[in-house]
Amino acid sequence: MRYDLDDLRLFTHVAAEGSITAGARVMHLSLPSASARVRALEAQAGVPLLVRERRGVRLTPAGATLARHAREVLAQTTRLDSAVASYAVPRSAPIRLVAGGSAMHQLVPLALATFLRDHPEYDVNVSERRTVRMVRLLAAGEADLGVILDDEPTPLRTEPLADDSLVVIGQAGGTLSGRESIAYAEVAEHPLVGLDRNSPLSQWMEDRLGPHAPAPRYRTLVPTLHALITLATAGAGLAVVPRRAVDPSAEVDICPLQDAWSTRHHLVCYAADAPEAVHLLAGHLHAAASVQA
């Protein structure tokens, strides 16, 4: 059998409204025209689809089945139209988003998931950089949007985004148990696990600690925050990580650092005259930050 989509759409409205008259009104059809379409559907199906009553109609079992499948077909058709139409719209250049490793861990993926779903007309290129490098790229117009730390001056527009303070984590019930805070100098006395020395977070900490900082003993260095948190949680060593990167439900001891440099914040950074797409993506970053808070 071949069904006309407008007939199916009319039938779903009739089913929802409980009246051919109301269904015709929604579809902007005359009552005779709508009635003729419904009768044609019944003739095509070979069974009654509606029970006509004085105050409207009700679905027969066959009519209920048709209405349910019609809604699914129409929803699929809408998605098909949207997918094909996205190719007819001229593609703009991808938005160039830059962020540090901390933001890349959860914040940026959360924002991208909703942005790319809600805006199929836009693409995004993402790269990981240190804040000092991000600021230069943004100022030179070589990046469109950045998630930077608040310790690097920039003439571009910035908006507060999220706390990104660093903490020490370790196995639950271990070295950090019962501690309210700890200095990095004491942390360095314990076996540590850390990020690759080329990672933005490791380089940022090295800049703040300076040449006279205590030399820690790293049992291993790993490329991602996820791997680092997994190892610290398992008791392989203490680790310095952004607090927001730690799952609140994780069984791990978390201890704030006493050092002033451990307090830091993320900012969204972009040009005031940036295209609408950049402003939209910035909005999704703010929404993702609020979800994580």
Side-chain angles (χ1 to χ4, degrees), residues 8 31 34 56 74 129 194 276:
L8 293 180
L31 179 58
L74 293 170
R129 297 285 188 273
E276 179 189 8

Side-chain angles (χ1 to χ4, degrees), residues 173-238:
T175 303
L176 301 175
S177 182
R179 297 291 299 266
E180 293 186 0
S181 65
I182 190 170
Y184 179 79
E186 183 180 347
V187 174
E189 296 173 0
H190 298 274
L192 300 177
V193 289
L195 285 175
D196 211 324
R197 287 194 168 89
N198 290 325
S199 72
L201 178 57
S202 294
Q203 293 180 351
W204 185 92
M205 285 183 57
E206 186 176 335
D207 291 345
R208 275 38 184 199
L209 291 168
H212 305 298
R217 179 174 75 86
Y218 285 107
R219 299 191 64 199
T220 187
L221 299 175
V222 293
T224 67
L225 276 170
H226 176 75
L228 181 60
I229 293 168
T230 299
L231 288 172
T233 302
L238 301 183

Side-chain angles (χ1 to χ4, degrees), residues 4 8 39 54 65 78 162 165 195 225 241 244 252 289:
D4 181 88
L8 293 180
R39 284 195 301 272
R54 290 183 60 187
T65 298
T78 299
S165 295
L195 285 175
L225 276 170
V241 300
R244 290 174 63 90
V252 62

Side-chain angles (χ1 to χ4, degrees), residues 42-61:
E42 290 181 306
Q44 186 173 4
V47 292
L49 301 175
L50 299 173
V51 176
R52 276 88 171 161
E53 299 176 329
R54 290 183 60 187
R55 297 192 175 184
V57 296
R58 58 185 171 87
L59 299 175
T60 65

Side-chain angles (χ1 to χ4, degrees), residues 137-183:
L137 290 171
L138 290 161
E142 296 175 20
D144 302 305
L145 179 64
V147 180
I148 68 172
L149 293 172
D150 59 351
D151 59 352
E152 192 69 30
T154 173
L156 298 173
R157 172 175 178 168
T158 59
E159 300 167 358
L161 182 62
D163 178 76
D164 194 50
S165 295
L166 302 180
V167 295
V168 184
I169 63 170
Q171 186 177 34
T175 303
L176 301 175
S177 182
R179 297 291 299 266
E180 293 186 0
S181 65
I182 190 170

